[in-house]
Amino acid sequence: MRGETPDVPALHRRSFLKYTGALGAAAAVSASLSACSSGPESTNDTGTGSGRDRTLTAVIGYGNDGSWDPTQTASAFCMAANNHVYEGLLDTDPISREPYAALATEVPKDPDGTSWTFTLRAGATFHDGKPVTADDVVFVFRRILDPDTQTLAKGFFASWLKEVRKIDARTVELVLKFPFPDGLSRLTLAKIMPKHVFSRPGAWDDAIKGKAIGSGPYRQTAHHPKSNTTFEAFDGYNGPRKPAFRKMNWLTIVDAAPRVAKISGSSAGAQIADNIPYANIGQLESGGMTVAGGAGMNNLFLMFNTGHKPFDDVRVRQALHYAIDTEKMVEVALKGHGRPSSSFLDEANPSYRRAKTVYDHDPDRAKALLKEAGVKGLSIEILAVNVSWIVDCLPTVKASWDAIGVRTTLSPQETTAVFTKMDQKQDYQVVAAASNPNQFGLDADLIMHYNYGPGNLWMQYTRWAADPVAKQLFRDMDRATREPDPAKKKAIVQDYIDVVAEQAVLYPVVHNELMTAWNPARLSGIRAQPYPGINLLQAKWA
């Protein structure tokens, strides 16, 4: 569920989709955290204390053992947590995604300029007490733009950002290659990290493992991979999003049943949880919880290995999409909280246009395409992530493919295992997984480059980047990025999305809502977001 943009280079497996198992606890702020590796000490700290000193307990339906390095991570848990620990020059509203001044004092008045100057907030300090300076900003951006350093963030910036210069101790200039107003909202993806900490030998590995020191409203106090991460209000914070909770304890509970149990009933151990199963909405609402969803880019996608015949044939890929009874999937697995995909983008995206190729359920057409491709007696093992709602959707895929004579075996596994196989370049046929590029933003250029681009990881997984159609697609994507006229840019994007739909190399089957539940008697100011995780920067005790 996790994500990239233009020309994202090959990344170390721990640094990208990062589901590589427990990486060990990391000391985050002080030497006192060296005891973290002994195991969780506060997983049951659920609302203790009184008044402002109460602990907010949240349940996150994704692992906390992904990479915590803000320049690398696509982990839902870690990205959500980093939004509370770190700041960008600008950050964005979690719903509208409009940029606001975070470490910088203001949003540039000329978004169409080719140079943006930022002054850092006076008195801004990192969690270890050291001041935030222009050197820290330059340090982070140089890492992102370094051609010899492979980061996820490079894909969000390298195509349009030329360099970042220090003007004085509190002033920096961003020099653009061409006007790119969408870049303002992307600045939230460049979290400013202390140079004096992360320039040390081995420090980036520590960041991957969980070491987090920022300038945000909350400081990390303990990190226990596969269990929980704790936070405390940072008394030195003087920015625009004041901490409302003295302490926070975020539990990672990937399995649906115990996650729901943790927020259910009179003895509920948490006040908020994301990734709520649709089947439990009524139960939670009847128990006094508020359950709300957000429709966006969250999707079940199929990814084909085009280096494994017959999936190099576009007709085979199309046939397998046409075969799926997506209406049944929405009704049975998603309980109505989704829609069959009619484009790579969800229908609420500002750049959405119904694709020229839409895979409405058509088993006869699917059979005809397989026959035309000369394929018979096909057997497929679907390698799938074990995210609960994905597992609920898989039986519909199997039944649909079995119905057209494709013998189908389901192989759901931990996300770690699935992407370890991808990173090790093991052979596979089809992967079914979840994705949501909205974690990174709403602009279509970013979303499409997250999955498609000549050097990005997804294209390496699909073995498709060398295809002539792919090469032309990449040229069209680059042309769209550089197009200054918004209407022309939108048209180019919509046209190349038609190519992506027709090729169906990596393509969504359904887009669905993500549900968040919280106790309105305990919390206010919660807004359900249409991408994984939670944002509590404007929440408070009720």
Side-chain angles (χ1 to χ4, degrees):
M1 331 193 3
R2 295 105 158 138
E4 259 49 38
T5 67
D7 302 348
V8 176
L11 305 177
H12 190 286
R13 59 189 288 265
R14 289 190 311 169
S15 306
F16 184 54
L17 297 176
K18 205 355 255 131
Y19 308 113
T20 52
L23 289 177
V29 180
S30 70
S32 65
L33 297 188
S34 62
C36 286
S37 59
S38 62
E41 298 169 352
S42 55
T43 55
N44 294 317
D45 188 359
T46 55
T48 56
S50 60
R52 193 169 183 268
D53 290 333
R54 286 178 292 174
T55 296
L56 177 135
T57 300
V59 184
I60 309 298
Y62 308 94
N64 73 337
D65 58 338
S67 172
W68 283 69
D69 174 359
T71 71
Q72 298 277 40
T73 191
S75 158
F77 188 113
C78 306
M79 284 193 69
N82 280 344
N83 285 332
H84 296 73
V85 172
Y86 291 99
E87 297 177 282
L89 291 170
L90 305 179
D91 282 327
T92 58
D93 181 87
I95 307 302
S96 72
R97 312 311 284 270
E98 286 295 316
Y100 64 87
L103 264 177
T105 56
E106 63 179 358
V107 178
K109 294 181 174 60
D110 182 14
D112 293 311
T114 55
S115 174
W116 297 328
T117 299
F118 295 95
T119 300
L120 300 181
R121 187 175 71 238
T125 61
F126 289 113
H127 298 155
D128 61 3
K130 299 291 180 63
V132 182
T133 71
D135 289 328
D136 300 302
V137 177
V138 172
F139 166 71
V140 169
F141 277 102
R142 280 185 177 168
R143 172 176 167 80
I144 289 172
L145 297 177
D146 183 356
D148 297 324
T149 302
Q150 310 306 323
T151 64
L152 166 60
K154 182 185 276 83
F156 300 131
F157 293 96
S159 64
W160 58 273
L161 182 60
K162 181 179 180 180
E163 64 177 318
V164 177
R165 301 170 179 167
K166 174 183 176 180
I167 304 300
D168 59 38
R170 287 184 47 229
T171 310
V172 295
E173 180 189 16
L174 273 63
V175 181
L176 282 60
K177 297 177 180 178
F178 47 84
F180 193 70
D182 286 340
L184 289 177
S185 61
R186 294 192 192 184
L187 291 181
T188 189
L189 301 173
K191 299 301 187 186
I192 305 306
M193 306 170 73
K195 179 181 179 180
H196 65 273
V197 173
F198 292 102
S199 62
R200 298 170 183 164
W204 289 112
D205 283 339
D206 291 339
I208 290 169
K209 297 172 185 176
K211 186 171 187 174
I213 300 177
S215 61
Y218 294 94
R219 66 183 188 93
Q220 187 199 75
T221 52
H223 176 55
H224 311 291
K226 295 189 178 294
S227 173
N228 71 311
T229 304
T230 61
F231 311 87
E232 187 172 271
F234 174 43
D235 291 334
Y237 178 74
N238 67 347
R241 296 287 190 266
K242 307 296 184 185
F245 309 105
R246 172 51 53 186
K247 295 181 179 180
M248 297 194 299
N249 184 22
W250 289 22
L251 312 178
T252 170
I253 305 179
V254 177
D255 293 339
R259 185 167 64 253
V260 172
K262 196 70 176 178
I263 59 167
S264 301
S266 58
S267 60
Q271 296 85 47
I272 184 171
D274 75 342
N275 198 16
I276 297 299
Y278 306 120
N280 296 106
I281 293 174
Q283 165 204 342
L284 292 170
E285 289 179 334
S286 65
M289 302 289 284
T290 295
V291 185
M297 271 295 294
N298 209 65
N299 66 85
L300 160 64
F301 68 85
L302 295 180
M303 178 171 66
F304 292 94
N305 178 1
T306 64
H308 186 127
K309 290 184 177 299
F311 308 109
D312 59 331
D313 192 321
V314 65
R315 294 168 295 186
V316 175
R317 302 192 298 266
Q318 289 182 339
L320 293 170
H321 272 279
Y322 278 120
I324 299 173
D325 190 343
T326 50
E327 294 286 355
K328 180 181 179 181
M329 182 182 290
V330 169
E331 177 186 357
V332 175
L334 305 181
K335 311 299 181 188
H337 292 276
R339 293 184 178 183
S341 298
S342 57
S343 168
F344 196 97
L345 301 175
D346 64 287
E347 295 182 20
N349 188 280
S351 294
Y352 169 84
R353 182 181 72 189
R354 183 178 172 87
K356 289 183 179 179
T357 305
V358 176
Y359 296 101
D360 296 322
H361 184 217
D362 192 339
D364 290 336
R365 187 170 187 178
K367 292 177 184 177
L369 283 166
L370 290 177
K371 183 177 180 180
E372 183 181 323
V375 173
K376 59 179 66 175
L378 181 60
S379 296
I380 295 178
E381 178 187 56
I382 302 177
L383 181 62
V385 300
N386 65 348
V387 174
S388 55
W389 71 270
I390 294 288
V391 172
D392 291 341
C393 290
L394 291 177
T396 301
V397 180
K398 173 176 167 53
S400 299
W401 288 359
D402 286 345
I404 63 167
V406 175
R407 295 187 299 276
T408 308
T409 302
L410 303 177
S411 182
Q413 302 175 22
E414 285 192 1
T415 311
T416 306
V418 173
F419 285 99
T420 294
K421 292 178 180 180
M422 300 295 100
D423 293 330
Q424 293 175 348
K425 296 181 171 57
Q426 294 184 28
D427 190 36
Y428 74 97
Q429 295 173 291
V430 184
V431 163
S435 181
N436 195 329
N438 285 164
Q439 290 182 112
F440 305 103
L442 294 178
D443 70 271
D445 180 271
L446 180 153
I447 289 169
M448 297 309 301
H449 279 101
Y450 167 62
N451 288 123
Y452 284 86
N456 85 8
L457 200 60
W458 294 105
M459 290 298 95
Q460 293 180 41
Y461 291 161
T462 62
R463 281 78 151 168
W464 190 61
D467 188 284
V469 177
K471 290 181 177 180
Q472 182 59 51
L473 171 67
F474 302 150
R475 287 192 289 269
D476 292 339
M477 294 173 77
D478 183 64
R479 184 163 57 93
T481 299
R482 294 175 174 274
E483 174 56 57
D485 182 86
K488 292 180 180 178
K489 181 188 185 86
K490 182 176 179 179
I492 297 170
V493 170
Q494 290 174 334
D495 286 347
Y496 77 61
I497 287 177
D498 285 339
V499 176
V500 169
E502 178 189 48
Q503 292 297 310
V505 172
L506 187 159
Y507 202 71
V509 176
V510 289
H511 289 107
N512 68 309
E513 283 187 285
L514 286 175
M515 312 303 294
T516 301
W518 66 93
N519 185 343
R522 303 293 300 277
L523 298 176
S524 65
I526 302 295
R527 293 181 293 167
Q529 57 192 38
Y531 51 95
I534 56 175
N535 187 299
L536 302 173
L537 295 181
Q538 293 176 294
K540 60 184 179 180
W541 291 116

